[in-house]
Amino acid sequence: MLREIQQVLRLVKLLGKQRRQRGVKTTGGLVVLLWTETKTSAHSLNCTVAAAGPWCTGIKMKALQPVLTDLKASMFPCSWPCPEPDPEELSAFTDLYGSLRLLLSFQMKDARLLSPEWKTHIETFLRTFSLANAGIKIQLKFKFNQQTLEPEFRVKMKSRVAQAGETSLSLDVTCNTQPPECVKKGCWCQGGHPDPGDRLLLSIPPRAMDQGLYGELSVQPVTLLSPCVLQYPNLATQLTHIQSPSNVPVTGPSSFFQSLPAHLGCEELSVHGLHCSSYKDLVLSGGIVYEVEQENQEEESSLPTMQQGLLLFLFLQHSDPFTSQLSDVMATEALIEHHLEDILSNNRQAVTAALETELKKTLKAQQRRKRDQEKLRSAVKVILTSSISIVSSSSNMDFRNACLNSMKVRDTHELSASLCESLWRVTSWKFTPRGRCYSAQMEEEEESDGPTRTEI
């Protein structure tokens, strides 16, 4: 079922790309409805995918029917005819986004499709799709055994990233990390700031060419560090993981991605080490995940530290002037997915170098923070030692008691701990406004196109 939904989304994206002129908004709606019928076998699952809005402008179902008839055999090889969904299920969707531009339904007969794990796979895939298609509002609905589940897909903050010769990407840069209580309202960046890398041309391996993959193939990395702490230059950060979603699904264990940490210069990236997730974790997380090994530094454990994650998008682009028919383009996309491992391995040195360059550029700020932390730590020690020395050596009991009472402690030992905590809290959470950051107030405008930034 997941494979079939991927194919439908690929079809809609390609149809929109063929008909859409540059400058037209890539916004609209997508609904995925999965349901069972009480009168039919409990092992039969129906799926309807519908799209509406500007992102599929120009698509006409009547004109597409002959083409879809030919495509359905390859798109849904294991599917059965499906009953039409209840019009009431789509009425709210069309009220929001206008008349349907595309409606495809199919049925699968497999009891495993009703398992909780399978539902998680569907939801994870759509969330990954939404990351790079933030202008498309997704609705997912499960209707099984008279129970309805509707996972929420919310895109609060969007940012546009330019692509060479392509329509700009609309990335979901929403940060769901809640700020600490000490942070004032309106002083926490609600989004992130994508950093696009250079486009890298890829050579197509001979085996893929033998099967009909020609033209120009390239990859563009884009990084997104979250949560954003640019407004807190003194705050210590800790990178915990790197996730690498791609616009071409990784459908199985990948030796390229699994061995990538061994080819990256971890020392130059200022990370202790990287550990690749298993294939099961890959499916559940929606992309390759690398856990960052942490150094054992007890001294820093008591400091205010913000854990961050890094998204490393890989956007593959393909162009072939001799491939224009929809069926041929769909076949080409399938070939790229099938040969993705060979393509990456064939360009291992160049791709690894490009990813390492992009990671260095993004993590450079973290390295600078670590150096500043060392200076700050030294200054705090001097301030702390001097302050305790003044209080301890003072013969004025009124002065000493005033110091202890102001810090709400009983003796100089407690004073030292309390003063240390206060110093780090004040220095770490020093707020410096940044114009490019998203304020908390922008969350109220999430339904409009207002909170959208363009990164060049």
Side-chain angles (χ1 to χ4, degrees), residues 35-323:
W35 82 99
T36 56
E37 291 184 300
T38 54
K39 297 180 182 179
T40 58
S41 170
H43 294 171
S44 298
L45 179 65
N46 303 309
C47 178
T48 291
V49 182
W55 78 296
C56 44
T57 295
I59 299 176
K60 296 180 180 178
M61 282 296 295
K62 289 184 179 180
L64 272 177
Q65 285 304 330
V67 181
L68 289 177
T69 302
D70 296 334
L71 283 175
K72 280 183 177 179
S74 58
M75 288 173 60
F76 315 130
C78 302
S79 66
W80 300 74
C82 175
E84 291 298 319
D86 185 348
E88 289 294 324
E89 297 290 348
L90 299 174
S91 61
F93 179 76
T94 53
D95 288 344
L96 284 173
Y97 305 106
S99 59
L100 297 179
R101 297 288 183 176
L102 184 76
L103 177 67
L104 284 174
S105 299
F106 54 92
Q107 184 182 88
M108 306 292 288
K109 296 186 177 182
D110 189 341
R112 293 173 298 178
L113 296 177
L114 302 178
S115 67
E117 186 180 41
W118 170 82
K119 295 175 190 174
T120 303
H121 290 178
I122 297 288
E123 183 180 343
T124 301
F125 166 73
L126 290 176
R127 291 195 186 280
T128 304
F129 176 82
S130 180
L131 284 175
N133 298 276
I136 302 167
K137 304 292 179 65
I138 297 177
Q139 296 180 14
L140 173 62
K141 184 181 288 187
F142 299 100
K143 292 192 70 175
F144 304 141
N145 302 323
Q146 299 181 342
Q147 291 185 344
T148 301
L149 295 174
E150 292 187 67
E152 186 178 26
F153 291 78
R154 293 186 69 193
V155 178
K156 298 178 185 177
M157 304 296 167
K158 297 176 287 186
S159 180
R160 294 195 180 280
V161 176
Q163 279 189 304
E166 295 279 342
T167 305
S168 296
L169 294 166
S170 180
L171 298 186
D172 178 5
V173 297
T174 306
C175 175
N176 295 316
T177 302
Q178 294 299 316
E181 293 181 0
C182 59
V183 174
K184 294 180 181 179
K185 186 176 182 181
C187 296
W188 183 255
C189 185
Q190 301 289 312
H193 311 285
D195 189 357
D198 295 329
R199 182 168 168 257
L200 174 68
L201 288 175
L202 302 175
S203 63
I204 300 175
R207 188 163 57 175
M209 294 180 69
D210 291 341
Q211 294 190 21
L213 182 57
Y214 301 103
E216 184 179 273
L217 188 63
S218 65
V219 64
Q220 181 182 12
V222 178
T223 55
L224 177 64
L225 194 61
S226 180
C228 165
V229 290
L230 292 175
Q231 299 178 115
Y232 296 92
N234 295 336
L235 181 63
T237 58
Q238 183 183 65
L239 185 67
T240 59
H241 66 277
I242 299 174
Q243 184 177 351
S244 183
S246 169
N247 62 332
V248 177
V250 180
T251 55
S254 168
S255 61
F256 174 84
F257 286 110
Q258 288 176 346
S259 62
L260 183 61
H263 296 88
L264 290 173
C266 289
E267 290 185 6
E268 295 183 20
L269 297 176
S270 295
V271 295
H272 194 61
L274 295 173
H275 173 68
C276 184
S277 65
S278 64
Y279 174 61
K280 183 177 180 181
D281 295 332
L282 182 156
V283 173
L284 294 174
S285 63
I288 312 295
V289 177
Y290 300 99
E291 299 293 335
V292 179
E293 296 179 18
Q294 305 299 332
E295 297 181 60
N296 187 19
Q297 296 183 351
E298 297 181 2
E299 186 180 2
E300 297 183 4
S301 61
S302 60
L303 304 182
T305 303
M306 181 57 63
Q307 293 188 339
Q308 291 181 298
L310 179 66
L311 282 177
L312 174 61
F313 293 96
L314 295 179
F315 294 108
L316 275 84
Q317 299 168 261
H318 177 263
S319 61
D320 185 354
F322 300 104
T323 303

Side-chain angles (χ1 to χ4, degrees), residues 373-391:
Q373 284 289 318
E374 291 296 330
K375 296 177 184 178
L376 193 59
R377 191 177 292 110
S378 300
V380 167
K381 284 181 179 179
V382 172
I383 296 171
L384 184 62
T385 303
S386 301
S387 302
I388 296 300
S389 176
I390 292 172
V391 176

Side-chain angles (χ1 to χ4, degrees), residues 380 383-384 387 418-428:
V380 167
I383 296 171
L384 184 62
S387 302
S418 179
L419 188 57
C420 181
E421 182 184 349
S422 298
L423 278 171
W424 277 116
R425 186 172 62 251
V426 171
T427 54
S428 297

